[in-house]
Amino acid sequence: MTSKGWRRVLSSGAAVVFAASAIVMLAQPAQALTPPKANGEETVTATVRFSGSRDYGMKRIIPQGLGGGGGSESQKAVFELADGATLANVIIGKPGADGVHCLGTCTLRNVWWEDVGEDAATFKGTSASQTMTIDGGGALSASDKVFQHNGPGTMIIRNFAAQGIGKLYRACGDCGNNPQNRHVRVENVRIEMSAKNVVSINVNYGDTARLSKVTLVGDSGKKVSICDKYNGVKKGDGSSKKVGTGADGKNCIYSASDVIYK
């Protein structure tokens, strides 16, 4: 199994192997963030839309004609998941276009982005009870956000690794009909420099962020902000404005021991 997976030392101090069928804890030294070896390739020229579950067995999907990568908002999603869908064991190759769109509750299990485009994944949908779960996997080279939260509900990011990003998570600051009470949980995540911010939320809308076992690698000066607070706006009403940063026990919920520097 280990020859097919990918090892990474997370905050627990043990390496995690993300394989197609399981997660195994091993005692291994740290190494550079590298996606697992692809088990074949497939090119797609249109957004792949599906319901139910799809397991790609660590195949690399290469988007063509969906966007050139970078931060352009005109790019199309590589995958669009219906409410209740699960995407598993896939590598999204370069250019990443607009990654994955979830139209409701969804699960991304061991999904990798070799070069994030506009965003790695965007949480859409309309229900306050919907949940987007990212479990395992990793992302490289996100000039801005890895995960974008546009709809309501809760996003869970766990057992994940990222390198060379702007921020891990952003609750949309200026979406149309910007929802109230978005929530994010970040659990057992490793971020290798460079990075600017872990999560950004809208405190005036009642957003919350709960963080635990967040490991920052290469931030010896502790310059990466953990939880930034904004006042969000409705689309067309100007720009969201930063109003603070750091744990407060209300919106940004974590303790000093929840952040590990290496």
Side-chain angles (χ1 to χ4, degrees):
M1 177 182 293
T2 57
S3 65
K4 297 180 181 179
W6 170 84
R7 295 187 180 95
R8 160 58 57 218
V9 175
L10 293 174
S11 57
S12 63
V16 178
V17 176
F18 295 103
S21 59
I23 296 177
V24 181
M25 303 303 293
L26 299 173
Q28 296 286 346
Q31 55 185 290
L33 177 56
T34 305
K37 183 179 179 180
N39 183 22
E41 293 186 349
E42 177 182 338
T43 297
V44 299
T45 57
T47 299
V48 179
R49 297 177 170 88
F50 69 93
S51 58
S53 297
R54 286 203 181 181
D55 188 324
Y56 280 84
M58 297 318 307
K59 181 182 288 187
R60 177 185 289 112
I61 301 300
I62 301 174
Q64 286 190 0
L66 303 182
S72 171
E73 295 187 2
S74 63
Q75 299 177 89
K76 297 178 181 179
V78 182
F79 293 99
E80 184 181 274
L81 279 60
D83 185 24
T86 295
L87 174 66
N89 299 312
V90 67
I91 302 167
I92 297 177
K94 184 177 181 179
D98 200 20
V100 179
H101 288 181
C102 282
L103 304 186
T105 289
C106 72
T107 300
L108 308 184
R109 184 172 296 117
N110 199 23
V111 176
W112 289 86
W113 293 263
E114 290 184 321
D115 190 345
V116 175
E118 181 183 351
D119 302 307
T122 303
F123 192 16
K124 296 175 175 286
T126 59
S127 172
S129 64
Q130 65 188 12
T131 301
M132 179 177 181
T133 303
I134 299 100
D135 193 357
L140 293 90
S141 302
S143 59
D144 189 10
K145 308 169 295 296
V146 178
F147 298 114
Q148 173 78 13
H149 195 164
N150 288 354
T154 299
M155 186 183 293
I156 301 168
I157 308 164
R158 63 189 180 211
N159 306 323
F160 191 81
Q163 183 182 69
I165 65 173
K167 56 178 63 72
L168 181 69
Y169 166 93
R170 177 63 162 112
C172 185
D174 58 359
C175 287
N177 299 316
N178 222 353
Q180 306 283 315
N181 301 315
R182 293 187 183 102
H183 307 290
V184 61
R185 290 171 20 210
V186 178
E187 306 165 353
N188 197 33
V189 165
R190 179 182 177 105
I191 301 174
E192 301 187 3
M193 297 305 103
S194 59
K196 297 179 181 178
N197 164 249
V198 180
V199 300
S200 294
I201 60 174
N202 302 313
V203 293
N204 62 319
Y205 290 159
D207 294 355
T208 64
R210 295 178 180 271
L211 301 98
S212 62
K213 295 183 180 179
V214 175
T215 298
L216 299 177
V217 181
D219 184 26
S220 57
K222 298 184 178 181
K223 295 181 179 180
V224 176
S225 59
I226 307 303
C227 184
D228 284 345
K229 307 168 197 178
Y230 286 79
N231 280 339
V233 297
K234 307 293 184 183
K235 188 173 183 179
D237 290 345
S239 301
S240 61
K241 298 191 181 300
K242 187 175 176 179
V243 295
T245 191
D248 56 20
K250 179 182 179 183
N251 298 100
C252 292
I253 305 165
Y254 62 96
S255 63
S257 64
D258 288 316
V259 183
I260 302 156
Y261 292 89
K262 291 188 176 181

